[in-house]
């Protein structure tokens, strides 16, 4: 049986060595003077998503549906589909094509190191969704248990997989790395023992297709990178701080609604925002429940959704260093805006 997925590529979270090369073209666009005022933050700002309009952006859907952005004076943000060639968030930001974007530290860091003035101001996923999925009958539940096993690794994910090995004191020789595409059928037929995957996708679709499975998260084994981070230009922080805070407030409200109602989140993704993607309500509901586990943590229960503690920031800086990106916390993170939002709106934080 062949499996199809709403996410066919993991490029946007890959710790690819070529990321710095790609960032060179990003900076060329920026430095050439080619800019587009359409990315400015007038009413209805342009928001670059990291992927197609599936369940991953349920919080933004709720914020639109429930009028939170409108109440903040932002009108209705334009959600721009990402995930294809030329749609990288960092590219859109540095070329002034979009006002804010959703991405990941391992994609933002190399662009900053090339000279771009970008900052991460919030993090929706407290854990990144990378995992190793395996059959339930022969589970692989830790990096050490991969030793001697055949692991299916997509070309775009070789570096994130290598970072996992390095972070756990292992090398390429410890496993049999098999280069694969994105259809995990080889896992179901026994051609490989494990598969690089998203915990919010393949484990769910495989189980739905009749293949019981197990998995472990990279984030639980020394690679605790956050994901779906909100990134902006430094000049936006400097010149439009109040509008950014209004956006963050609305986004937070939307995500509290989404976390509380996975079924409604799925309905919005399937019937409205991702209507043309052929998504299924049942599967998207399961994905919503799975991603809630990445969004809600003891820290976000205490401090509020989309926040990052200093300890988590430090862990991300360490993880980026393991991936070859020598960057400091103040170069890539600025949590002052979201801290102000919660301080100024004490009723914003809800019980989860």
């Amino acid at each position: 049986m062949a499996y199809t997925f709403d996410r066919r590529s993991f490029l946007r979270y890959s710790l690819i060595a070529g990321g710095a090369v790609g960032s060179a073209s990003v900076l060329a666009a920026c430095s050439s003077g080619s800019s587009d005022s359409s990315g400015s933050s007038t009413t209805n700002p342009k928001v670059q998503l990291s992927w197609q309009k599936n369940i991953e952006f349920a919080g933004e859907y709720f914020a639109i549906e429930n009028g939170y952005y409108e109440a903040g004076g932002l009108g209705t943000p334009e959600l721009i589909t990402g995930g294809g060639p030329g749609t990288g968030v960092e590219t859109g930001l540095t070329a002034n094509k979009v006002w804010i974007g959703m991405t990941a530290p391992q994609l933002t860091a190399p662009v900053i190191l090339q000279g771009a003035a970008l900052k991460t101001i919030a993090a929706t996923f407290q854990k990144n969704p990378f995992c190793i999925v395996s059959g339930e009958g022969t589970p692989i539940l830790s990096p050490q248990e991969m030793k001697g096993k055949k692991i299916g690794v997509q070309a775009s994910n070789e570096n994130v997989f290598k970072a996992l090995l390095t972070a756990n004191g292992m090398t390429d020789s410890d496993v049999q790395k098999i280069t694969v595409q994105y259809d995990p059928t080889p896992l179901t037929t026994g051609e490989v023992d494990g598969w690089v995957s998203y915990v919010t996708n393949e484990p769910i679709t495989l189980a739905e297709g009749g293949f019981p499975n197990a998995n472990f998260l990279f984030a639980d084994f020394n690679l605790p990178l956050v994901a779906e981070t909100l990134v902006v230009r430094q000049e936006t922080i400097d010149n439009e701080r109040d509008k950014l805070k209004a956006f963050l407030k609305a986004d937070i409200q939307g995500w509290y609604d989404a976390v509380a109602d996975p079924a409604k989140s799925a309905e919005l993704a399937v019937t409205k925002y991702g209507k043309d993607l052929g998504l299924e309500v049942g599967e998207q509901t399961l994905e919503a429940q799975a991603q809630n586990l990445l969004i809600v943590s003891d820290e976000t229960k205490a401090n509020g959704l989309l926040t990052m503690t200093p300890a988590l920031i430090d862990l991300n800086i360490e993880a980026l260093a393991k991936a070859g990106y020598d960057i400091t916390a103040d170069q890539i993170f600025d949590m002052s805006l979201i801290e102000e939002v919660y301080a100024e709106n004490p009723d914003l934080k809800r019980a989860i």
Side-chain angles (χ1 to χ4, degrees), residues 149-152 176-180 183-195 211:
K149 302 289 180 64
K150 294 179 180 178
I151 308 297
Q176 298 181 58
K177 186 178 68 177
I178 309 297
T179 300
V180 296
D183 178 352
T185 299
L187 178 64
T188 69
T189 59
E191 295 174 54
V192 296
D193 305 301
W195 192 270
F211 184 76

Side-chain angles (χ1 to χ4, degrees), residues 6 10 16 46 57 61 74 99 102 119 129 138 140 150 158 165 190 195 217 222 285 299 304 325 329 333 335 352:
D6 56 26
F10 298 106
I16 49 176
K46 293 182 181 294
F57 311 103
Y61 307 155
L74 296 169
W99 187 66
M102 294 157 196
K119 285 289 174 64
T138 54
I140 299 173
K150 294 179 180 178
E158 286 187 2
L165 296 178
W195 192 270
L217 283 170
N222 303 320
T285 301
E299 288 75 19
Y325 303 128
F333 294 111
M335 293 296 115
I352 303 174

Side-chain angles (χ1 to χ4, degrees), residues 118-135:
L118 303 178
K119 285 289 174 64
T120 298
I121 62 171
T124 307
F125 286 8
Q126 300 292 292
K127 291 183 176 182
N128 73 82
F130 270 119
C131 74
I132 296 293
V133 63
S134 54

Side-chain angles (χ1 to χ4, degrees), residues 81 223 248:
T81 295
L223 209 64
L248 285 174

Side-chain angles (χ1 to χ4, degrees), residues 130-320:
F130 270 119
C131 74
I132 296 293
V133 63
S134 54
E136 185 180 62
T138 54
I140 299 173
L141 301 177
S142 72
Q144 297 299 321
E145 291 182 17
M146 294 192 298
K147 287 187 174 181
K149 302 289 180 64
K150 294 179 180 178
I151 308 297
V153 184
Q154 303 80 10
S156 61
N157 290 326
E158 286 187 2
N159 281 71
V160 71
F161 182 68
K162 186 173 183 178
L164 175 70
L165 296 178
T166 301
N168 290 278
M170 299 168 64
T171 66
D172 288 343
S173 63
D174 288 318
V175 301
Q176 298 181 58
K177 186 178 68 177
I178 309 297
T179 300
V180 296
Q181 299 300 316
Y182 299 99
D183 178 352
T185 299
L187 178 64
T188 69
T189 59
E191 295 174 54
V192 296
D193 305 301
W195 192 270
V196 175
S197 166
Y198 268 27
V199 73
T200 54
N201 192 191
E202 279 85 344
I204 294 169
T205 54
L206 285 166
E208 290 282 285
F211 184 76
N213 58 82
N215 68 77
F216 74 83
L217 283 170
F218 288 23
D220 290 338
F221 290 90
N222 303 320
L223 209 64
L225 293 163
V226 292
E228 294 299 357
T229 47
L230 275 63
V231 175
V232 298
R233 293 181 292 274
Q234 180 64 50
E235 66 182 30
T236 308
I237 297 175
D238 296 338
N239 301 326
E240 301 176 285
R241 191 176 186 90
D242 287 343
K243 287 185 177 181
L244 274 178
K245 287 164 62 176
F247 184 93
L248 285 174
K249 179 182 177 182
D251 224 42
I252 290 166
Q253 290 173 297
W255 274 109
Y256 272 109
D257 290 351
V259 167
D261 197 344
K264 180 63 175 180
S265 297
E267 179 185 332
L268 288 173
V270 173
T271 65
K272 186 171 183 179
Y273 292 91
K275 186 176 181 180
D276 297 332
L277 298 178
L279 305 172
E280 297 179 358
V281 170
E283 189 271 334
Q284 289 287 286
T285 301
L286 292 173
E287 287 202 19
Q289 293 168 345
Q291 75 180 18
N292 279 355
L293 299 177
L294 306 178
I295 294 168
V296 178
S297 66
D298 289 342
E299 288 75 19
T300 56
K301 286 179 181 178
N303 303 314
L305 295 183
L306 278 67
T307 58
M308 287 184 71
T309 64
L312 182 57
I313 288 174
D314 288 344
L315 288 172
N316 273 257
I317 295 301
E318 292 174 10
L320 288 170

Side-chain angles (χ1 to χ4, degrees), residues 60 255 328 343:
E60 286 71 43
W255 274 109
T328 62

